[in-house]
Amino acid sequence: MNGTQNPRDISTKLEWIATMARENPERVFHSIGHVIDQSWLHEAYRRTRKDGARGVDGRSAADYATDLEGNLVDLERRLKSGTYRAPAVRHVEIPKASGGVRGLGIPTFEDKVLQRAVLMAMESIHEQDFLPCSYGFRPGRSAHGALNALWKELMNVGDGWVLEVDIESFFDSLSHEHLRAFLDQRVTDGTLRRVVHKWLKAGVMREQGWQKTRRGTPQGGVISPLLANVYLHHVLDRWFEAEVKPRLQGRATLIRYADDFVIVFAREADAHRVHGVLPKRFGKYDLRLHPEKTRLLPFGRSRKGCSFDFLGFTFHWGVSRQGKPVVRQKTAKSRFARAARRVTEWCRHNRHLPVGLQHARLSAMLRGHYSYFGVTGNGRWLERFYVVVLRTWFKWLSGRSNRYPTWTWYNGLLERMPLPQPHVVQSVYRVAKPTA
């Protein structure tokens, strides 16, 4: 095989692996690393983002591409011989909507390529095991899929209970020992498992210097979402479906996106029962639920004023245009504030750019906001964000010189360069009609 092999041949290999895993749910893959050859690495390189931040080695995607063939040949040699050394991830901190900061790990570009190659092989196996309740970082699934499923379930239940759960520092707390035990149930191939172990132990490069990692998997790594899904598949998803639901008296549905999840219950007794046992279950696997952010609340047509947040939206009961009770979604206040701050910061730092470039960037920010938050019933909050962008842009344009002082001039600009109007992109009514 060579690097010019058609990507469709890689797809054939991936389907072959997936078929073996699907048809043999108990099969353990002892030898699968041989599929990662030059053509496989070329495909992994093609699928790797080229515009990401640089890792600890300072090399960009363009730097790596100057001798792509030689680099990939050497990468395969080091992987297969076991001499590949996983570099530390560069640690950066980004603000959280709820306050504080969240750590993000930035691997080197070569590490991203290799992680993508390993992910392609392991994902083909584990995807056959993952359950429908899991939506995060999976092929063909999305946050909107989770939101639609939640909306449908809330409508079906009507008057029920919601368990809103927050796992405290999940990506930092994940136990390597338990993770290896979970991986052993499907993949024991030496090549793959050796390099995964190296990534887990690679350490983090902070301003103070290199720091050893004994637990967790850094957010930002290509392989991290899969490892997180494997972990929570065993700790939560499979346990809930196989052991918890059969013991409950009424309907209960788990909806999980990565480490964010909610459980909807039809009966109060079931909700309290699971709420009580969940901390013990997670504690068994060295995880802790946040005591203040994990809460059980009644949620139904007859309970006014109850609401909860999930994936950036606040869920609450309202009334449809026909006067019927309906579950509504609106942009969560924390996410709205964060989006508004992003616009303000961008305008402040780029106010001296040509107006056309500013318009193009703000238009892209609006379209991105609509594509995620443009769901049925959220029109008012889309309008509010549109107004925030209009006023913020005017503020920073009028402050950069005396040429742009008035709303009259600004309205003329908007006639020539209109900003995208709010509109619904994701309709909940495309979901199957709720059942009785």
Side-chain angles (χ1 to χ4, degrees), residues 147-167:
L147 292 165
N148 287 340
L150 177 57
W151 178 86
K152 179 182 175 183
E153 186 60 21
L154 293 170
M155 289 291 291
N156 282 334
V157 169
D159 282 297
W161 290 73
V162 171
L163 180 55
E164 182 184 8
V165 183
D166 182 274
I167 307 174

Side-chain angles (χ1 to χ4, degrees), residues 335-345 369 385 388-389 392:
R335 291 294 290 272
F336 186 91
R338 183 170 70 182
R341 283 197 301 271
R342 284 183 60 234
V343 172
T344 298
E345 287 299 306
H369 189 86
F385 187 70
V388 165
V389 174
T392 302

Side-chain angles (χ1 to χ4, degrees), residues 94-102 166 290 293 334-335 338 341:
I94 57 177
K96 295 174 65 175
S98 57
V101 294
R102 174 169 63 91
D166 182 274
H290 197 293
K293 297 180 181 179
S334 60
R335 291 294 290 272
R338 183 170 70 182
R341 283 197 301 271

Side-chain angles (χ1 to χ4, degrees), residues 79-337:
L79 171 68
K80 298 293 178 62
S81 66
T83 59
Y84 180 80
R85 297 185 64 183
V89 296
R90 183 166 68 86
H91 180 82
V92 297
E93 293 182 340
I94 57 177
K96 295 174 65 175
S98 57
V101 294
R102 174 169 63 91
L104 188 69
I106 302 175
T108 65
F109 181 76
E110 181 176 69
D111 216 33
K112 292 177 185 177
V113 172
L114 185 55
Q115 287 193 31
R116 178 67 61 185
V118 172
L119 172 67
M120 288 160 56
M122 294 184 66
E123 186 177 67
S124 297
I125 297 168
H126 290 289
E127 267 298 313
Q128 314 316 311
D129 301 334
F130 292 156
L131 301 179
C133 61
S134 168
Y135 290 86
F137 303 102
R138 295 182 56 194
R141 295 186 151 237
S142 67
H144 286 115
L147 292 165
N148 287 340
L150 177 57
W151 178 86
K152 179 182 175 183
E153 186 60 21
L154 293 170
M155 289 291 291
N156 282 334
V157 169
D159 282 297
W161 290 73
V162 171
L163 180 55
E164 182 184 8
V165 183
D166 182 274
I167 307 174
E168 199 166 17
S169 302
F170 169 72
F171 283 91
D172 295 330
S173 304
L174 183 149
S175 163
H176 294 173
E177 180 182 357
H178 290 306
L179 176 61
R180 284 193 289 267
F182 295 147
L183 292 174
D184 281 344
Q185 297 183 31
R186 268 308 215 177
V187 180
T188 59
D189 175 88
T191 299
L192 300 187
R193 292 298 303 280
R194 183 168 53 236
V195 73
V196 168
H197 176 76
K198 290 180 178 180
W199 285 324
L200 293 174
K201 298 296 185 182
V204 176
M205 186 62 71
R206 302 176 184 268
E207 291 184 2
Q208 305 93 322
W210 180 81
Q211 179 181 326
K212 187 176 182 179
T213 49
R214 294 181 174 86
R215 322 175 57 80
T217 177
Q219 288 180 271
V222 177
I223 198 72
S224 293
L226 175 66
L227 300 180
N229 273 332
V230 169
Y231 203 92
L232 289 175
H233 168 74
H234 289 275
V235 172
L236 176 63
D237 302 354
R238 197 168 70 172
W239 168 76
F240 182 79
E241 293 296 329
E243 299 185 35
V244 175
K245 285 178 68 172
R247 292 178 168 85
L248 301 181
Q249 298 299 310
R251 181 181 186 131
T253 302
L254 165 68
I255 296 162
R256 180 175 68 81
Y257 187 90
D259 61 326
D260 293 322
F261 69 94
V262 294
I263 308 176
V264 181
F265 299 91
R267 295 172 65 99
E268 180 180 357
D270 289 341
H272 284 288
R273 187 178 179 186
V274 175
H275 186 212
V277 76
L278 206 58
K280 300 174 185 177
R281 174 66 182 181
F282 276 75
K284 180 180 177 181
Y285 295 97
D286 299 331
L287 297 175
R288 184 171 182 265
L289 302 187
H290 197 293
E292 297 175 1
K293 297 180 181 179
T294 298
R295 61 184 185 133
L296 180 62
L297 66 151
F299 189 85
R301 302 183 182 99
S302 61
R303 299 174 176 121
K304 304 298 182 182
C306 289
S307 66
F308 67 94
D309 291 354
F310 184 60
L311 299 182
F313 286 89
T314 297
F315 283 76
H316 64 102
W317 278 93
V319 180
S320 71
R321 293 179 180 177
Q322 293 74 32
K324 297 180 179 180
V326 63
V327 175
R328 291 198 173 277
Q329 304 170 65
K330 64 181 181 181
T331 310
K333 291 181 180 180
S334 60
R335 291 294 290 272
F336 186 91

